[in-house]
Amino acid sequence: MINQFLKYVQDENLLEDGDKTLITLSGGIDSVVMCELFFQAGFSFGIAHCNFKLRGEESDTDARFVSTLAEKYKVTLHSIIFDTKEYAKDQGISTQMAARDLRYEWFEKIRTENNYQKVATAHHQDDQLETFFINLMRGTGISGLHGIRPKNGQLIRPILFASRNEVVKFQLENRLEFREDSSNASNKYLRNKIRHHLLPILEDLDPEYLKVFAANMKRFSDSEEVYLQRIDQLRNEILTKKGDDYLISLKKLSKLNPKSTYLFEFIREFGFSFKICEDILKNFNNNSGKIFSSDTHRLLKDREYLIIRTRDIKTNQGSFNIEKTTNEIKIPIHLKIKKFEKTRDFEIPNSRLIANIDSDKLSFPLSLRKWKNGDYFYPLGSTFRKKLSDFFIDRKFSLFDKEDCWMICSGDEVVWVVGHQIDNRFKIRSKTRHILQIKYKENLAH
């Protein structure tokens, strides 16, 4: 197996001369075999181990076992303990997704801080086929049919050439100790069900099934290269970035067929499944305002666009004081504030990002807060009050626009709907003596 390993690393150009690799070592048979192969090949490496605290004492025993392996190979050990369940709760994602995010972010941190050129994970052929079927079960585009790639940036999978049986054979021949994850025997997870029930049936039908599927996935991968050229071209035309959000033109999307396939390819990077794409299209001609969610993003169907936003942008309902002496604030949004006396030649700037207010009509401290139901103001030029909710409708605000809307208030009275309109009661008049000018630095705000 060592010769196959060396040939695969060379053929796939996984390592260059002098590369130092961070091996991700759980203590299971796959990662232990990969570690031994690196050692026998004479490659330079260190070990990284994550304790996700998901299996109690078993997780702690795994960590101690990995520590003994680092001593055996006389290499550096990097280890960390994660409160995975707490992180999953905070982020509103599954425990499995939380563990994945935590480990890959940490691996990259360790890699860059310690001068490792590559990070190696111990995926093999069976893992690749299991991933293939998981993608099929959950819904996927063509990208889900090629399985796991040998290399993705600095991340490499150097034993992807080997089957699980070959891994076990190497472990027995080299008398390697390893830790067995008790969760691997459970049928709680889809991957385990595929491993324990589907793959044995395929092996019974054709003992060479792994090679057959590997060849198929290679062809799928080649076809994807052609397919993605067209997708990338259209993505650049249809998917645009505005601040922290991404917008997809409904008008342009409506001209594409098949819409579901194009839409999936445009938004799958944001974690949306093919099933969600179909649900979005079912609501294509319905009223705007419906929101769809993935583990990482929210998608709003608005009047003219699908608007995509990361889920970690949270609506801050707090209130922030602006004192009489305040000249600038940067949190939660960036405002520059100036006070001066009105002169005869003063001209009011024609910009929605600048509010010029009669300072003598204000009661300090002012408050900066998000709008809430029941808020009203007197739009500039009007002597009639208007609910903020009606103002938003008139301006065709999306739900995300409303979430982003801040107001400056004097007591209970709205002074400025920031970035949009001041209240008529606080406008500059001929008798105004002192002006408070507030500039909204929109490009620095969320």
Side-chain angles (χ1 to χ4, degrees):
M1 187 172 175
I2 183 65
N3 291 330
Q4 290 175 282
F5 171 72
L6 291 169
K7 184 177 186 302
Y8 187 74
V9 168
Q10 182 178 12
D11 289 348
E12 297 295 338
N13 194 28
L14 300 184
L15 295 173
E16 298 178 6
D17 290 342
D19 274 358
K20 184 180 178 183
T21 304
L22 182 65
I23 290 180
T24 62
L25 187 58
S26 66
I29 185 172
D30 304 331
S31 58
V32 166
V33 164
M34 180 175 69
C35 196
E36 177 68 17
L37 287 168
F38 266 77
F39 177 72
Q40 290 188 19
F43 294 151
S44 177
F45 66 94
I47 291 173
H49 176 75
C50 303
N51 184 344
F52 296 106
K53 303 298 288 184
L54 295 175
R55 293 178 290 115
E57 177 59 27
E58 190 176 332
S59 294
D60 296 334
T61 305
D62 290 348
R64 291 191 290 270
F65 172 73
V66 170
S67 180
T68 63
L69 285 182
E71 294 176 4
K72 169 187 172 182
Y73 292 118
K74 296 181 173 58
V75 297
T76 302
L77 171 64
H78 308 273
S79 61
I80 192 169
I81 298 174
F82 291 119
D83 190 342
T84 312
K85 289 184 177 179
E86 186 64 26
Y87 179 84
K89 181 180 177 181
D90 288 344
Q91 299 298 314
I93 58 179
S94 67
T95 303
Q96 286 178 300
M97 178 66 75
R100 183 186 186 284
D101 290 350
L102 287 168
R103 67 175 176 265
Y104 280 111
E105 181 179 348
W106 181 67
F107 292 155
E108 181 59 17
K109 179 176 183 290
I110 295 301
R111 186 190 73 79
T112 56
E113 290 181 354
N114 295 273
N115 198 32
Y116 292 100
Q117 283 69 50
K118 300 291 191 302
V119 175
T121 64
H123 294 92
H124 49 64
Q125 281 187 355
D126 294 65
D127 293 320
Q128 186 181 55
L129 189 53
E130 290 162 10
T131 300
F132 171 87
F133 282 113
I134 287 172
N135 290 341
L136 284 182
M137 294 291 292
R138 291 177 175 170
T140 184
I142 192 171
S143 64
L145 302 181
H146 59 57
I148 304 168
R149 293 192 185 277
K151 180 167 59 176
N152 182 13
Q154 309 308 316
L155 185 66
I156 61 173
R157 284 97 177 196
I159 64 168
L160 203 54
F161 67 91
S163 67
R164 179 174 285 111
N165 289 339
E166 289 172 322
V167 168
V168 171
K169 181 181 177 183
F170 182 85
Q171 175 264 323
L172 292 171
E173 290 173 349
N174 290 269
R175 299 180 181 179
L176 301 175
E177 295 184 10
F178 65 94
R179 292 279 301 162
E180 186 66 63
D181 185 341
S182 61
S183 66
N184 288 337
S186 169
N187 282 324
K188 177 181 176 181
Y189 303 108
L190 176 59
R191 181 177 293 276
N192 288 355
K193 290 179 181 179
I194 292 170
R195 179 181 303 167
H196 297 150
H197 301 290
L198 178 57
L199 298 193
I201 293 174
L202 293 176
E203 186 173 20
D204 184 57
L205 292 172
D206 183 357
E208 299 294 311
Y209 76 101
L210 277 176
K211 291 182 180 179
V212 173
F213 275 95
N216 284 334
M217 285 187 275
K218 176 64 169 64
R219 287 190 286 272
F220 293 147
S221 181
D222 292 343
S223 299
E224 184 189 18
E225 293 298 321
V226 179
Y227 167 84
L228 287 180
Q229 290 179 26
R230 175 61 174 162
I231 293 295
D232 288 343
Q233 176 188 347
L234 287 172
R235 182 188 289 109
N236 292 333
E237 296 176 6
I238 292 178
L239 183 68
T240 58
K241 196 170 190 298
K242 181 181 179 182
D244 291 321
D245 298 337
Y246 289 87
L247 279 62
I248 295 176
S249 166
L250 293 175
K251 183 178 180 181
K252 291 180 179 179
L253 181 62
S254 68
K255 296 178 181 178
L256 299 179
N257 277 304
K259 291 184 184 63
S260 55
T261 299
Y262 278 113
L263 180 58
F264 175 72
E265 293 297 344
F266 296 155
I267 68 175
R268 66 184 178 87
E269 65 181 291
F270 306 109
F272 293 99
S273 67
F274 199 88
K275 173 66 170 59
I276 291 179
C277 290
E278 292 178 327
D279 290 342
I280 292 170
L281 293 174
K282 286 178 183 177
N283 288 272
F284 198 79
N285 296 317
N286 295 346
N287 293 333
S288 60
K290 188 170 180 60
I291 288 182
F292 304 85
S293 298
S294 71
D295 282 340
T296 57
H297 288 76
R298 292 184 299 159
L299 183 149
L300 168 68
K301 185 202 174 285
D302 200 40
R303 297 172 180 82
E304 299 179 11
Y305 296 95
L306 298 177
I307 306 173
I308 303 167
R309 169 171 294 192
T310 55
R311 292 183 67 175
D312 60 358
I313 298 178
K314 298 175 181 177
T315 303
N316 192 324
Q317 298 296 340
S319 179
F320 302 82
N321 284 346
I322 299 176
E323 305 290 345
K324 201 167 189 176
T325 56
T326 302
N327 295 318
E328 182 177 25
I329 64 171
K330 293 186 177 180
I331 295 175
I333 58 175
H334 192 180
L335 299 174
K336 285 196 171 184
I337 304 165
K338 183 170 63 172
K339 305 98 178 168
F340 53 89
E341 290 189 10
K342 181 188 171 192
T343 59
R344 290 184 178 181
D345 59 351
F346 173 74
E347 293 184 5
I348 299 175
N350 183 24
S351 172
R352 65 179 181 82
L353 303 180
I354 302 175
N356 291 278
I357 301 160
D358 189 330
S359 182
D360 295 325
K361 293 183 178 294
L362 300 173
S363 297
F364 288 89
L366 304 178
S367 62
L368 173 67
R369 64 170 175 83
K370 290 291 183 74
W371 81 285
K372 57 182 183 288
N373 285 331
D375 279 337
Y376 66 88
F377 79 132
Y378 292 78
L380 185 63
S382 173
T383 56
F384 298 97
R385 77 178 194 177
K386 193 180 192 73
K387 288 185 178 180
L388 262 294
S389 56
D390 292 334
F391 176 75
F392 294 152
I393 291 172
D394 292 346
R395 294 297 180 97
K396 297 183 178 179
F397 275 29
S398 71
L399 179 61
F400 288 166
D401 291 332
K402 295 175 188 177
E403 286 183 2
D404 289 340
C405 194
W406 291 89
M407 295 186 303
I408 292 177
C409 301
S410 175
D412 294 329
E413 296 178 331
V414 174
V415 175
W416 185 29
V417 182
V418 178
H420 298 285
Q421 196 163 118
I422 68 168
D423 188 294
N424 195 64
R425 294 169 292 181
F426 299 92
K427 71 179 181 180
I428 303 299
R429 292 177 167 83
S430 59
K431 295 181 180 180
T432 298
R433 297 174 55 205
H434 302 98
I435 296 174
L436 182 75
Q437 186 178 86
I438 307 176
K439 292 185 178 180
Y440 173 36
K441 310 295 286 187
E442 188 178 35
N443 61 317
L444 296 179
H446 292 295

